[in-house]
C-alpha cells in the first residue's frame, strides 16, 4: 500500500512538473489554456462533418465559404454572450482608465465608447445610438471591429470562426456573417452585406477629449467577468495566431502589427473569396507619413493619421469618413489575399 501510494505521489509530482514546464513554455496560464484548447479544437474540427454546420441554418443548401474552413471556436452558440441590454456610464463614473482602448461610435450626434476590456468577453453589443438600432462587434483574435445597422433583430456569437475571426449570426433568421467582411456566408441572407457605420479604435482619454459628453459601456452586463483582466495572455503582441489562417506567405509584417483596411463589395460571390475592392494601411507607416491617397473602387480615397485620436481614419477626398476596421496584420491576406 505504501509503495503504491509513493508511486501515485511520484507520478503526480512528475505530471505536475511536466504541466508546470508546459505552462512556463507557454508564458503563463492564459497562454497555456489558449494554445492547448486551440490544438484540441483543430483536431475536433478535422473530424467535423460540414453537414453539422448546415443544421444550424434551416434550409441552407450551400455556403459562400468552404464548410471545412468554418471551425468551432470551442464554445456553443451564445457561449460568448452578447450584451443585449447595455448600460452606460458617464466619464466620471466609468471604472476604465485614460489609456484603456475603446471603440468609438457616433450616430446622429450621439457618441458612445465600448471598452475593449468588456468587448474581449462579449464581442457583440446590440445597442441603439442616435435613434438607430446598431450592433457593435469586436473579434479579440483578429482585432477587427465592425459596427452596422441591425434593424429590428439582434446579433449573437455563433461559436464558429472563419480564418480565426468571429462569425456572427442574425437571431431573426440564423444567417451567419463573417465579421471582417460584414457579409452573410451561410443562410437566408448569404452574400448580403451589412449596412456598416464608421467606428474608430482609440484610447478613452483621446475619445473623451474629442467627445466629452460621450458615455461608456458599463461593466453592469448581467454577467460575472473580470473586466480588468485580459483573457488571452500575451496573444495581443506575440506571433502566435492559434487557429489556421491562409495566405500568410503574402504577409510582410509581424502578425500582430496593426493595420486598418477598407473594403467595398461588387455584388459577385466567388466561393471562399471576397469580391470587390479593398486596401490596407499600416498604422506605423501612416504615423510617419501622416496621409496616403490611393485608388479604391474607381476613385481616390485618403487615409490619414488622426493626431487627436492617435489612429487611422479613412475618408473620401471630400472628407466624408468611410467605414474601416483595424486588424492584426495576419487578417488582411487571409480575407483579401492577392489584392
Amino acid at each position: 500500500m505504501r509503495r503504491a501510494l509513493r508511486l501515485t505521489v511520484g507520478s503526480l509530482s512528475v505530471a505536475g512538473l511536466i504541466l508546470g514546464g508546459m505552462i512556463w513554455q507557454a508564458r503563463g496560464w492564459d497562454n497555456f489554456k489558449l494554445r492547448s484548447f486551440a490544438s484540441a479544437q483543430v483536431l475536433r474540427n478535422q473530424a467535423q462533418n460540414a453537414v453539422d454546420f448546415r443544421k444550424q441554418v434551416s434550409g441552407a443548401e450551400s455556403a459562400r465559404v468552404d464548410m471545412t474552413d468554418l471551425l468551432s471556436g470551442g464554445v456553443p452558440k451564445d457561449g460568448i454572450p452578447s450584451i443585449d441590454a447595455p448600460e452606460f456610464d458617464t466619464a466620471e463614473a466609468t471604472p476604465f482608465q485614460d489609456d484603456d482602448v475603446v471603440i468609438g461610435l457616433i450616430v446622429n450626434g450621439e457618441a458612445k465608447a465600448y471598452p475593449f476590456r468588456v468587448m474581449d468577453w462579449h464581442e457583440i453589443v446590440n445597442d441603439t445610438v442616435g435613434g438607430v438600432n446598431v450592433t457593435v462587434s469586436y473579434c479579440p483574435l483578429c482585432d477587427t471591429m465592425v459596427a452596422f445597422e441591425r434593424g429590428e433583430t439582434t446579433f449573437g456569437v455563433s461559436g464558429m470562426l472563419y480564418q480565426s475571426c468571429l462569425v456572427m449570426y442574425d437571431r431573426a433568421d440564423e444567417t451567419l456573417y463573417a465579421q471582417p467582411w460584414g457579409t452573410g456566408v451561410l443562410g437566408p441572407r448569404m452574400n448580403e452585406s451589412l449596412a456598416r457605420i464608421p467606428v474608430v479604435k482609440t484610447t478613452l482619454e483621446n475619445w473623451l477629449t474629442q467627445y466629452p459628453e460621450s458615455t461608456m459601456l458599463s461593466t453592469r452586463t448581467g454577467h460575472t467577468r473580470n473586466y480588468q483582466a485580459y483573457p488571452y495572455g500575451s496573444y495581443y503582441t506575440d506571433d502566435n495566431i492559434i487557429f489556421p489562417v491562409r495566405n500568410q506567405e503574402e504577409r510582410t509584417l509581424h502578425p500582430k502589427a496593426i493595420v486598418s483596411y477598407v473594403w467595398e463589395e461588387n455584388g459577385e460571390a466567388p466561393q471562399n473569396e471576397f469580391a470587390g475592392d479593398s486596401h490596407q494601411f499600416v498604422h506605423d507607416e501612416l504615423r510617419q507619413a501622416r496621409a496616403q491617397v490611393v485608388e479604391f473602387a474607381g476613385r481616390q480615397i485618403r487615409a490619414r493619421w488622426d493626431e487627436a485620436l492617435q489612429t487611422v481614419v479613412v475618408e473620401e477626398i471630400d472628407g466624408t469618413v468611410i467605414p474601416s476596421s483595424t486588424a492584426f496584420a495576419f487578417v488582411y491576406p487571409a480575407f483579401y489575399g492577392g489584392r
Side-chain angles (χ1 to χ4, degrees):
M1 175 68 74
R2 291 180 180 175
R3 183 172 182 272
L5 180 60
R6 286 198 299 271
L7 286 173
T8 300
V9 171
S11 298
L12 289 173
S13 298
V14 170
L17 288 172
I18 292 173
L19 178 60
M22 292 171 67
I23 293 173
W24 180 82
Q25 287 185 334
R27 290 184 290 175
W29 177 241
D30 286 333
N31 285 345
F32 176 73
K33 288 190 296 183
L34 184 62
R35 296 179 189 184
S36 300
F37 169 77
S39 297
Q41 289 308 117
V42 170
L43 293 175
R44 173 186 169 187
N45 283 314
Q46 288 175 345
Q48 175 68 58
N49 192 312
V51 174
D52 292 339
F53 289 115
R54 289 196 175 95
K55 290 178 181 177
Q56 295 195 30
V57 183
S58 177
E61 300 297 333
S62 62
R64 170 68 177 270
V65 297
D66 291 341
M67 298 301 291
T68 54
D69 287 337
L70 275 174
L71 304 182
S72 169
V75 293
K77 181 191 295 183
D78 295 317
I80 296 175
S82 63
I83 300 175
D84 300 329
E87 296 186 31
F88 289 83
D89 294 323
T90 63
E92 293 74 25
T94 183
F96 297 107
Q97 304 301 308
D98 285 349
D99 60 352
D100 279 323
V101 179
V102 302
I103 298 171
L105 170 67
I106 303 174
V107 179
N108 294 331
E110 183 177 9
K112 289 188 175 183
Y114 304 80
F116 273 29
R117 290 186 181 274
V118 180
M119 301 301 290
D120 282 336
W121 295 95
H122 295 281
E123 302 188 7
I124 290 176
V125 178
N126 294 296
D127 197 4
T128 300
V129 186
V132 178
N133 291 338
V134 303
T135 292
V136 179
S137 67
Y138 175 67
C139 178
L141 292 180
C142 294
D143 205 44
T144 48
M145 52 187 195
V146 178
F148 52 91
E149 298 180 22
R150 62 179 171 87
E152 298 305 313
T153 187
T154 61
F155 282 72
V157 179
S158 72
M160 289 180 279
L161 301 172
Y162 176 67
Q163 304 303 324
S164 193
C165 289
L166 168 66
V167 176
M168 310 177 292
Y169 80 97
D170 184 339
R171 292 194 175 107
D173 60 18
E174 301 291 315
T175 297
L176 300 183
Y177 289 82
Q179 186 241 18
W181 283 344
T183 300
V185 296
L186 177 63
R189 296 187 182 275
M190 186 175 69
N191 298 322
E192 293 187 20
S193 297
L194 299 167
R196 291 178 279 127
I197 302 169
V199 290
V200 296
K201 171 186 175 182
T202 186
T203 65
L204 181 58
E205 180 180 32
N206 290 338
W207 182 253
L208 286 175
T209 298
Q210 295 296 300
Y211 306 101
E213 301 304 316
S214 175
T215 54
M216 276 60 67
L217 182 64
S218 172
T219 58
R220 299 184 302 278
T221 63
H223 301 275
T224 302
R225 301 289 189 275
N226 183 0
Y227 293 117
Q228 297 302 322
Y230 176 64
Y232 294 94
S234 63
Y235 179 81
Y236 198 85
T237 55
D238 66 26
D239 60 3
N240 195 17
I241 299 179
I242 304 294
F243 287 91
V245 293
R246 62 187 177 184
N247 300 334
Q248 293 307 292
E249 70 281 356
E250 299 177 14
R251 174 174 51 80
T252 59
L253 302 167
H254 185 282
K256 305 300 174 56
I258 303 300
V259 305
S260 285
Y261 68 92
V262 290
W263 69 108
E264 188 172 303
E265 301 84 350
N266 64 6
E268 298 179 7
Q271 182 70 10
N272 233 35
E273 300 290 344
F274 176 75
D277 204 358
S278 65
H279 198 91
Q280 76 166 348
F281 304 94
V282 181
H283 279 222
D284 282 346
E285 293 177 359
L286 267 176
R287 188 180 286 110
Q288 300 299 319
R290 316 309 293 176
Q292 182 182 2
V293 175
V294 300
E295 292 290 330
F296 174 73
R299 65 191 191 277
Q300 287 191 324
I301 63 171
R302 176 175 52 239
R304 60 178 176 82
W305 183 254
D306 189 300
E307 191 64 36
L309 294 174
Q310 289 291 295
T311 193
V312 170
V313 174
V314 187
E315 58 193 15
E316 305 285 359
I317 294 300
D318 66 5
T320 302
V321 176
I322 301 170
S324 64
S325 176
T326 58
F328 290 135
F330 77 80
V331 174
Y332 188 76
F335 281 84
Y336 305 95
R339 298 178 184 280

